[in-house]
Amino acid sequence: MAVLWNVGVAAAYFAGAELGLLDQLLRGHLTPFWPSTGIALAALLLLGWRVAPGIAAGAFIALVFNGMAIYEAVPIAIGDMLAPMLACYLLHRVNFNPNLDRLRDGLALVFLGAFVAMTVSATVGTSVLVLSGDALAQTRENPWLLWWMGNATGVLVVTPLLLLLRTPRRPGSFRLARAAEIAALLAGTFLVAGLGSHTRFEVLFLVFPFLFWAAWRFQLAGSAPCVLIASVVVTLAAEGRTGTFAEGHLFTELVTLQAFNASAALTGLLLAALIAERNHTYREVERAVIHLSDVMSLRDRAGRHVESWRAPSREDDARRQ
């Protein structure tokens, strides 16, 4: 069974790598959005350490398939495996809940799973490029920063969505009005992100009201798909160098893109976690109030029963006198 899980994870990692390399803005396998890292971390959180070899195999196959030399692909694939493994270890250390229904879980995924752990793959990857004399390591675009940001974005955008899909809702649990609201959210996010990234006006910030709306109404179930849509649409616009990304230095445009993707993911993820935690606290308080009310009701009934039992005995004493 473990072999099948590893094969499946390797295939998913390879597919994510191919999707990520479609948005390759800098020659040499550097992309601003690397979905495979998010897939790898979600697989480790849900399936355990046994799928680590599948991550390394998927990374190695993807790198060699896209023209990288084997002596470079081997250490880079190991780094791509170690980074999500470190992220998984750190998240387990802080009792991370994959439901992402607490603010602390959102903060842990952002700072430990994305920002801290992804320094491993970026450091290993760029070190290999420097030692092998790859021309990419000599560019002015700071490959370490781009490598780290691409992997971190993959964790922030893809991992929450995959963790959400592990517990899908039953079709009957959605009312028609809520389904229509979700469809309006997804369509609105797509349209605003598309218009904002294909015009020269700096209006990409108009995406954020949709992220607020999605997180407020549906928590992670609404914010995760909206963040993915916004990130993919804007990344494709950056790859085509259109609208907002039509002019300017490549590195500047990459940093702008990464800032948007990270800001969108942070906003959607943390706000959704905060609201989910608030709703959970409200439900706990409501259950405690109901329980206390039941206890008081039982106490009152017991008291009345005792009084009704004692009353006849006093009357009998009076008759005896």
Side-chain angles (χ1 to χ4, degrees):
M1 191 66 178
V3 174
L4 294 178
W5 281 121
N6 276 278
V7 171
V9 169
Y13 193 102
F14 177 81
E18 291 302 298
L19 290 175
L21 290 174
L22 291 177
D23 301 321
Q24 184 175 305
L25 301 184
L26 193 62
R27 186 197 64 79
H29 312 288
L30 283 186
T31 172
F33 179 35
W34 190 246
S36 296
T37 307
I39 295 172
L41 178 55
L44 288 170
L45 289 172
L46 300 179
L47 302 175
W49 303 107
R50 57 182 175 176
V51 298
I55 297 172
F60 175 78
I61 294 171
L63 294 171
V64 173
F65 183 79
N66 285 279
M68 180 171 284
I70 293 179
Y71 65 87
E72 291 180 323
V74 170
I76 291 177
I78 294 175
D80 288 343
M81 176 189 67
L82 292 178
M85 288 182 68
L86 175 61
C88 185
Y89 170 77
L90 293 175
L91 292 176
H92 283 321
R93 292 286 295 176
V94 297
N95 297 319
F96 174 76
N97 184 355
N99 291 327
L100 285 168
D101 55 1
R102 300 176 300 178
L103 181 59
R104 58 176 291 183
D105 298 323
L107 293 173
L109 182 63
V110 170
F111 291 100
L112 298 179
F115 292 169
V116 174
M118 294 307 113
T119 58
V120 173
S121 55
T123 301
V124 172
T126 52
S127 298
V128 171
L129 295 180
V130 170
L131 293 175
S132 63
D134 194 291
L136 180 62
Q138 310 301 324
T139 62
R140 297 180 298 171
E141 277 73 19
N142 194 341
W144 186 94
L145 180 62
L146 297 179
W147 201 308
W148 173 74
M149 294 176 76
N151 285 347
T153 302
V155 170
L156 294 176
V157 174
V158 177
T159 300
L161 184 63
L162 294 179
L163 294 179
L164 172 68
L165 294 177
R166 81 187 229 281
T167 54
R169 291 176 176 268
R170 293 176 300 174
S173 63
F174 283 104
R175 296 190 301 272
L176 181 60
R178 289 176 65 85
E181 186 177 2
I182 292 176
L185 269 172
L186 298 178
T189 303
F190 177 80
L191 291 175
V192 171
L195 292 174
S197 58
H198 286 81
T199 179
R200 294 181 181 275
F201 298 103
E202 301 291 338
V203 292
L204 276 176
F205 62 88
L206 293 177
V207 171
F208 288 91
F210 286 89
L211 300 181
F212 295 153
W213 179 13
W216 181 266
R217 292 287 292 147
F218 304 103
Q219 289 79 64
L220 190 64
S223 65
C226 287
V227 168
L228 178 64
I229 290 173
S231 296
V232 170
V233 170
V234 176
T235 301
L236 290 175
E239 183 208 3
R241 307 299 297 274
T242 60
T244 304
F245 304 96
E247 298 177 356
H249 190 271
L250 176 60
F251 183 72
T252 303
E253 303 302 336
L254 284 172
V255 171
T256 301
L257 171 63
Q258 296 287 31
F260 171 81
N261 286 338
S263 299
L266 284 169
T267 300
L269 176 61
L270 297 184
L271 185 59
L274 180 63
I275 294 173
E277 185 175 28
R278 185 211 62 172
N279 292 343
H280 177 72
T281 302
Y282 175 80
R283 289 191 295 270
E284 289 295 322
V285 172
E286 187 178 34
R287 280 195 289 267
V289 170
I290 294 174
H291 176 70
L292 181 60
S293 176
D294 292 340
V295 170
M296 295 301 295
S297 178
L298 289 173
R299 180 182 177 183
D300 291 342
R301 287 199 296 269
R304 287 194 297 270
H305 177 72
V306 170
E307 290 297 329
S308 65
W309 178 78
R310 287 178 178 176
S313 64
R314 288 197 297 267
E315 293 176 359
D316 292 342
D317 292 340
R319 290 193 187 102
R320 291 191 189 97
Q321 294 175 357

